[in-house]
Structures are given as structure tokens and as C-alpha cells.
Amino acid sequence: NAGVTQTPKFRILKIGQSMTLQCTQDMNHNYMYWYRQDPGMGLKLIYYSVGAGITDKGEVPNGYNVSRSTTEDFPLRLELAAPSQTSVYFCASRRGTLNTEAFFGQGTRLTVV
Amino acid sequence: AQSVTQPDIHITVSEGASLELRCNYSYGATPYLFWYVQSPGQGLQLLLKYFSGDTLVQGIKGFEAEFKRSQSSFNLRKPSVHWSDAAEYFCAVGADAGNNRKLIWGLGTSLAVNP
């Protein structure tokens, strides 16, 4: 059982480049989330999805886009990378009831130079 | 407003000492509470959760937490800390917000363990 898989683990981008962070889960969870984690700032929600075809903005969506064409996949797109997007990104999934926990991927460490 | 507060940003304990990490929440309804641990360079792993029943819950790695409604707290404890417990610890509450059954996160407590 793979759980939540994120790729890549590490990436260096130049300012203005674009990239897609991949996230897939094999637990048939409805809810999926993208967070960024910066030192001392905890987890900030970028986007979330409550099911295939449904996405919505979190706290810090600017500069990012997402799609959810299948239950399993929830890619995060950076169109014009900026140094402020240097961070560690985590994808998570959850069944969606209040008492269920989120399962996290291992994270993607992104540096924009 | 719904919120989770972890008052201690950083805690250092000696190996073998007891540990208590504080978590306070603000939520109007019955909270669903979680503690997660994040080891360096890793994702978050669930330690334990509470949603009903016995207010003292047991988790993995010898951790426990006690839900105190009167104090709006869900503090994490461990009787004897091991060097491998050095990590970041996050408290979270599950909350309803329209169609988003979201998790509200504290900012985390970084635990260092002295040998």
C-alpha cells in the first residue's frame, strides 16, 4: 500500500520557470490537500479538493494552480516560479469525515533561484 | 474563529525525562483532535487522535494525550523521552467549513532531546 506519493523529492527552478508537482494516492480518498511549509510558519494550505472535478483555494493560492481529473491524482502547478515559492510542499489525502486523519506524502523541497 | 495554538515553539528535554507538549484549540462544536509528528526531512505521521469516548488516548511510540474540554486543551505526553523523539510536533483539529471538512493546524513545537 503506497499511500500518498509525491514526485519529485527535490527540485531547483530558475525564476520564471514552470513546473508541476505530482501527487497520487491509492486509498480512494475524496479529500486532497496541498500545503507549503516554511520554517516556523507551520503548514499553510494552498489548494484543496473534495473530490474529482472540484477544487478550491486555501490560504495562500497565489502563484499556484491545481486540477483534479481523477480521484487518485492532484497535481500542483507553478506557472512562473518566484523566490517566494521556495519551500517544502506536502500533499495529503483524507477520507473526508471529521474524525479521519490526513495521510501525507514525503514532501517536495523546491528552491527557486 | 477556529484556531489551534501551540504555545511552545521549541522545547528541549533530557533523554529519559518526561514530556508534555501543549495544544489549545478554539472551536464551537465537539472537536476532532489530532497529534502528528514530523521527523527531519519527512512527511507528517499521525501519533494519535481523539473524537469521542475516553478523554485519555493512547498513540504510537508511547505517546498519550488528554482531552480537557473545560480547558480547550489536548496536551501530548510521554513519560520517558528517547533521543529518537526529537522532531516537530503538530496539533490539529478537524472542523466543518461549508463543504470543506478541513484540518486546522497549530504552528508546531520543535522538540530537541539532550543525551
Side-chain angles (χ1 to χ4, degrees):
Chain A
N1 189 351
V4 179
T5 302
Q6 286 183 241
T7 56
K9 286 187 168 54
F10 303 93
R11 184 72 186 267
I12 298 175
L13 280 183
K14 294 184 178 178
I15 295 172
Q17 285 186 320
S18 62
M19 78 163 294
T20 300
L21 281 66
Q22 302 291 346
C23 176
T24 187
Q25 53 94 7
D26 61 0
M27 296 172 283
N28 201 33
H29 286 169
N30 289 328
Y31 279 61
M32 295 188 76
Y33 308 85
W34 273 107
Y35 294 94
R36 60 177 289 171
Q37 185 181 35
D38 301 295
M41 301 298 289
L43 295 170
K44 298 292 186 186
L45 182 64
I46 305 171
Y47 270 94
Y48 67 95
S49 169
V50 302
I54 307 170
T55 63
D56 209 344
K57 296 177 181 179
E59 306 169 72
V60 291
N62 291 345
Y64 307 95
N65 275 301
V66 293
S67 60
R68 184 96 182 270
S69 57
T70 66
T71 298
E72 293 79 19
D73 300 306
F74 190 43
L76 178 71
R77 179 87 177 158
L78 283 71
E79 290 294 349
L80 290 170
S84 61
Q85 293 177 305
T86 293
S87 188
V88 181
Y89 293 84
F90 287 100
C91 178
S93 74
R94 188 170 178 227
R95 192 176 304 146
T97 53
L98 284 176
N99 62 346
T100 56
E101 69 267 32
F103 292 81
F104 283 80
Q106 292 295 295
T108 296
R109 184 175 294 275
L110 175 67
T111 302
V112 182
V113 297
Chain B
Q2 302 159 347
S3 65
V4 175
T5 302
Q6 293 181 245
D8 304 305
I9 297 172
H10 186 86
I11 285 181
T12 301
V13 299
S14 297
E15 191 168 19
S18 63
L19 172 70
E20 182 171 38
L21 301 182
R22 295 183 290 166
C23 173
N24 295 99
Y25 66 90
S26 173
Y27 183 58
T30 300
Y32 297 86
L33 297 158
F34 307 85
W35 273 102
Y36 284 80
V37 61
Q38 184 183 28
S39 298
Q42 300 295 314
L44 279 72
Q45 180 186 19
L46 181 73
L47 280 175
L48 47 77
K49 65 180 180 180
Y50 169 82
F51 54 91
S52 67
D54 193 344
T55 56
L56 184 64
V57 294
Q58 303 296 320
I60 62 171
K61 305 186 181 188
F63 285 92
E64 66 179 26
E66 186 170 14
F67 170 58
K68 293 186 178 179
R69 185 186 298 276
S70 62
Q71 297 177 19
S72 299
S73 69
F74 189 55
N75 294 348
L76 182 71
R77 302 195 293 247
K78 187 169 184 178
S80 178
V81 170
H82 188 262
W83 64 266
S84 60
D85 293 324
E88 190 90 16
Y89 291 82
F90 292 93
C91 181
V93 61
D96 254 330
N99 72 338
N100 175 19
R101 290 175 172 167
K102 61 184 181 181
L103 286 169
I104 302 169
W105 295 89
L107 293 183
T109 297
S110 177
L111 174 67
V113 180
N114 286 334

